[in-house]
């Protein structure tokens, strides 16, 4: 991979990795750190990574970094999480659809959340998701199916949300 290839990868994939990390982690600062760390790791292996596989390498690396962040976060608790009821009060009394969806995503197990976000937010194919996460194709399809069903049950009827 050349310097131009690396710069092209930054231009093409930084926003996608950020969106993926933000939806998964729900913290802008940590999501930015995930993007930066992913590109830093790519830079270290710039000679070894093929330019055509930069996207796959970056999303796989970001996925692994997010798994580490979730594990690290399970050992420590932020004060804001103890006061979510105060943080998310709505003036109209009705929940925002984005908030409902984010809360539903938060209920999913880590693997299901990752594959659902990669498929539905980032638009990856099942085969690409299998390659990025290290799962086999059947596992990817099952996790996406189960994740979508869990979200559907969480959200319930559209009339209730609106």
């Amino acid at each position: 991979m050349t310097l131009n290839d690396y710069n092209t990868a930054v231009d093409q994939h930084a926003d996608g990795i950020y969106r993926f990390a933000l939806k998964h982690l729900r913290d802008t600062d940590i999501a930015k750190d995930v993007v930066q760390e992913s590109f830093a790791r790519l830079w270290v292996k710039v000679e070894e990574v093929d330019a055509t596989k930069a996207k796959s390498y970056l999303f796989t690396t970001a996925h692994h970094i997010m798994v580490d962040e979730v594990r690290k976060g399970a050992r420590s608790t932020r004060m804001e999480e103890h006061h979510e009821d105060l943080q998310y009060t709505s003036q109209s009394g009705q929940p925002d659809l984005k908030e409902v969806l984010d809360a539903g995503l938060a209920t999913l197990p880590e693997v299901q959340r990752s594959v659902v976000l990669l498929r539905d937010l980032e638009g990856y194919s099942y085969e690409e998701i299998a390659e990025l996460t290290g799962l086999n194709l059947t596992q990817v399809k099952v996790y996406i199916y189960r994740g979508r069903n869990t979200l559907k049950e969480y959200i319930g009827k559209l009339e209730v949300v609106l």
Side-chain angles (χ1 to χ4, degrees), residues 8 21 33-34 39 43 46 51 69 92-93 105 113 122-123 162:
T8 301
D33 289 344
V34 167
F39 281 103
W43 181 253
V46 75
E69 285 296 327
S92 66
L105 285 169
R113 186 179 329 132
E122 295 298 325
L162 298 176

Side-chain angles (χ1 to χ4, degrees), residues 30 34 43 50 55 78 100-101 109 129 140:
I30 296 175
V34 167
W43 181 253
D50 184 18
K55 180 179 181 181
R78 298 179 65 171
V100 171
L101 186 57
I129 295 169
V140 168

Side-chain angles (χ1 to χ4, degrees), residues 10-153:
V10 171
D11 292 339
Q12 291 179 347
H13 307 301
D15 290 339
I17 294 170
Y18 176 74
R19 284 191 311 270
F20 175 58
L22 184 61
K23 280 290 186 186
H24 189 56
L25 300 169
R26 297 179 318 278
D27 186 314
T28 56
D29 294 331
I30 296 175
K32 289 176 185 176
D33 289 344
V34 167
V35 174
Q36 184 173 356
E37 182 63 23
S38 297
F39 281 103
R41 290 183 186 182
L42 177 61
W43 181 253
V44 169
K45 296 192 177 223
V46 75
E47 299 294 326
E48 301 168 28
V49 177
D50 184 18
T52 60
K53 298 189 180 199
K55 180 179 181 181
S56 176
Y57 179 86
L58 287 166
F59 273 89
T60 302
T61 302
H63 174 74
H64 291 293
I65 294 168
M66 288 186 297
V67 168
D68 292 343
E69 285 296 327
V70 169
R71 287 181 184 152
K72 187 171 38 171
R75 292 188 297 256
S76 65
T77 306
R78 298 179 65 171
M79 291 303 293
E80 293 88 5
E81 293 172 8
H82 291 293
H83 302 289
E84 283 185 352
D85 54 337
L86 298 175
Q87 190 177 17
Y88 293 110
T89 56
S90 174
Q91 293 178 357
S92 66
Q94 293 182 346
D96 180 26
L97 188 57
K98 182 184 178 311
E99 290 175 5
V100 171
L101 186 57
D102 286 343
L105 285 169
T107 65
L108 295 178
E110 177 183 323
V111 174
Q112 285 182 9
R113 186 179 329 132
S114 290
V115 295
V116 167
L117 288 172
L118 284 170
R119 177 72 179 164
D120 296 335
L121 180 68
E122 295 298 325
Y124 284 99
S125 70
Y126 293 114
E127 293 80 11
E128 290 173 321
I129 295 169
E131 182 182 331
L132 291 172
T133 60
L135 301 170
N136 68 43
L137 189 60
T138 304
Q139 289 173 313
V140 168
K141 290 179 180 180
V142 167
Y143 284 140
I144 289 173
Y145 175 78
R146 289 179 182 168
R148 286 177 177 168
N149 277 344
T150 302
L151 286 173
K152 184 174 148 184
E153 291 172 13

